[in-house]
Amino acid sequence: MRIGLLLAVATFILSVIVKPLLLLWMLAAGIGAAWLYARRTGVALTAVGGARLGWITGLFLFLILMILVSGMALAMTDKGAADMFLAQMKQNGGEDQARMVIEALQNPGKLAEVLAQFFVFCGLLPVLGGVLGARLFRKAGTASS
């Protein structure tokens, strides 16, 4: 559980710093979780164990994103906050994107759709990374034994 939470927080921080690589960070989170587990315990994971560890990591990442998106949606119900967000994004040249974000956050159907997409990506990519990491580090562990 601690490894999953640690990698979820690290993935979130990396995705904030380097936004375009979010999907890559999610995949790397599963690989990293398998590597950390094998390193800490000295036990190589099976593919199923890697998938479980990736799922835990993805679930923590989804919870972090859900809390943030829900907080933003709550903030966007206030017209003043929405106008302030729009003004800030206008200065950065992202007015059209800001309007789409505000519209999505103020519409419950679109908000549910965004959260569903987050759930799928946060579920699949770290799981695939966990399976890949388990395979990679199992082979590395057996080659040195």
Side-chain angles (χ1 to χ4, degrees), residues 57-138:
T57 303
L59 190 59
F60 279 128
L61 183 59
F62 172 72
L63 290 174
I64 292 168
L65 291 172
M66 184 182 71
I67 290 168
L68 289 174
V69 168
S70 299
M72 286 178 59
L74 187 60
M76 290 302 136
T77 59
D78 179 35
K79 178 135 175 67
D83 291 340
M84 187 173 67
F85 176 69
L86 187 59
Q88 286 177 349
M89 289 302 288
K90 190 183 282 189
Q91 290 176 349
N92 296 334
E95 183 179 1
D96 294 334
Q97 289 176 331
R99 288 188 193 281
M100 288 190 308
V101 168
I102 291 170
E103 180 183 318
L105 291 174
Q106 290 177 341
N107 182 339
K110 287 185 181 181
L111 182 60
E113 184 180 321
V114 166
L115 288 174
Q117 289 173 352
F118 278 154
F119 184 76
V120 168
F121 284 117
C122 288
L124 284 178
L125 293 173
V127 167
L128 291 174
V131 170
L132 180 61
R135 296 275 181 186
L136 286 172
F137 300 117
R138 183 181 65 194

Side-chain angles (χ1 to χ4, degrees), residues 10-26:
T11 301
F12 174 74
I13 291 169
L14 287 171
S15 67
V16 168
I17 295 170
V18 187
K19 290 177 180 113
L21 300 177
L22 176 62
L23 299 179
L24 179 64
W25 294 132
M26 288 183 184

